Amino acid sequence: MRLGVLDVGSNTVHLLVVDAHHGAHPWPAHSEKVVLRLAEQLGPDGALTEPGADSLVKAVGMAQAAAVGLGADDLIAFATSAVRDATNAVEVLARVRDETGVRLEVLPGADEARLTFLAVRRWFGWSAGRLLVLDIGGGSLEIAAGIDEDPTVAVSLPLGAGRLTRDRLRVDPDSAAPPPAEAVDELRAYVDGLLEPVVAEVTAVGWERPVATSKTFRTLARLAGAAPSGAGLWAPRRLTRAGLRQVLGFIRHIPPAQLVELEGVSAGRAHQLLAGAVVAEAVLRRLDVDALDICPWALREGVILRRLDQLGPV
């Protein structure tokens, strides 16, 4: 079947269309994304702004039309942290449904962690043993660990790169100066504080193979010397704690407007990279992880795999 997945994330609205069937590798047939940075478009009252809602409706409508044009048999549409946390989420979801015909399912943070874990488990297989899976999004950080396809522990924390950039660093994407050292240090202390309650819970489960997904981790790994995207999906990629510290050490001194000049850093996320690096460093340090494997599959693939499991063999 041809299956469309519409992921309304905190940074992008991403449509992925795959050709797949139960028990097979989902092969991408089409991918398109629009950068909206919804996590940065929440007002002081926590509501998604009217321009943010307008851009979301437009992006969903375009994606829905593209999925139909590509002959998708089904379209799974879901939203994560930015919409989940918006105080006017009910109104925004109703408007999306009324104006586009698309019903967005809002994924709870723990489910987001579970589905990402499923994708990583399927990618690496049972030989990977007990997994630790980390995912830094625009609005939240997901951590999951376990031995099965459903993790023993799955948590979501409000430590997304976009959220922290907006609320803590208050970074202007066009700024010619890096954030003050005091702001970075305060952010690090804040991240450590939110991680504190979950460290013991995750450590108690244990792991043999620590893995990371998400654009943030892929970008940090690239800056630390991992293979570029052009090397292909199956090229092994790793991020060491030592390499991450080096990356964090130099990007904290680079103005946001200049970060985009670094190889592998996208224009739409460059100003969020520092916050993402602070979160990544804190997680690896608190969990005492020396190195991570980077997995190309994440939440969208987890959603696809779960749907194919539900459909069963044809």
Side-chain angles (χ1 to χ4, degrees), residues 36 42 48 127 151 173 179 188 200 202 250 257 268 275 309:
L36 299 185
L42 299 177
L48 185 63
S127 64
R188 188 183 188 194
V202 176
F250 75 78
D309 287 348

Side-chain angles (χ1 to χ4, degrees), residues 20-230:
H21 61 269
H22 183 77
H25 184 295
W27 292 104
H30 178 78
S31 176
E32 64 180 60
K33 66 177 68 174
V34 179
V35 178
L36 299 185
R37 295 206 290 260
L38 294 179
E40 298 179 37
Q41 297 196 56
L42 299 177
D45 59 351
L48 185 63
T49 63
E50 186 172 351
D54 290 343
S55 62
L56 174 59
V57 170
K58 180 179 179 181
V60 171
M62 291 172 60
Q64 195 270 348
V68 171
L70 290 163
D73 301 296
D74 192 12
L75 178 65
I76 308 169
F78 63 91
T80 56
S81 178
V83 174
R84 181 169 69 230
D85 296 341
T87 55
N88 59 340
V90 173
E91 293 82 2
V92 171
L93 292 170
R95 184 180 166 196
V96 169
R97 182 187 64 242
D98 293 343
E99 296 187 28
T100 69
V102 175
R103 292 180 177 272
L104 284 176
E105 176 189 357
V106 177
L107 283 182
D111 286 353
E112 194 174 338
R114 291 187 185 97
L115 288 166
T116 301
F117 186 91
L118 171 63
V120 174
R121 169 58 74 194
R122 294 282 179 90
W123 180 268
F124 285 111
W126 296 111
S127 64
R130 200 175 299 270
L131 289 171
L132 169 69
V133 177
L134 309 174
D135 187 316
I136 300 173
S140 59
L141 161 71
E142 276 68 50
I143 305 175
I147 189 67
D148 299 317
E149 290 199 334
D150 190 36
T152 304
V153 59
V155 297
S156 179
L157 298 172
L159 293 176
R163 180 196 298 269
L164 296 178
T165 298
R166 178 198 69 204
D167 295 346
R168 298 286 163 173
L169 291 181
R170 299 177 177 86
V171 172
D172 179 351
D174 300 318
S175 175
E182 296 81 3
V184 178
D185 292 340
E186 289 173 3
L187 174 60
R188 188 183 188 194
Y190 174 76
V191 172
D192 275 358
L194 288 191
L195 285 173
E196 180 65 32
V198 306
V199 169
E201 181 183 9
V202 176
T203 302
V205 175
W207 56 83
E208 282 83 45
R209 190 165 195 167
V211 178
T213 72
S214 76
K215 179 67 171 178
T216 294
F217 272 115
R218 290 197 303 272
T219 301
L220 293 170
R222 179 71 189 103
L223 291 175
S229 58

Side-chain angles (χ1 to χ4, degrees), residues 214-284:
S214 76
K215 179 67 171 178
T216 294
F217 272 115
R218 290 197 303 272
T219 301
L220 293 170
R222 179 71 189 103
L223 291 175
S229 58
L233 201 63
W234 285 275
R237 295 174 175 88
R238 286 171 62 80
L239 174 63
T240 66
R241 196 192 325 180
L244 175 58
R245 284 174 175 167
Q246 291 179 339
V247 171
L248 177 56
F250 75 78
I251 66 172
R252 67 181 295 171
H253 300 296
I254 300 177
Q258 295 178 17
L259 284 173
V260 71
E261 298 173 10
L262 300 176
E263 185 177 355
V265 178
S266 62
R269 297 173 185 254
H271 68 294
Q272 299 180 6
L273 186 60
L274 177 56
V278 169
V279 174
E281 188 279 331
V283 176
L284 268 63

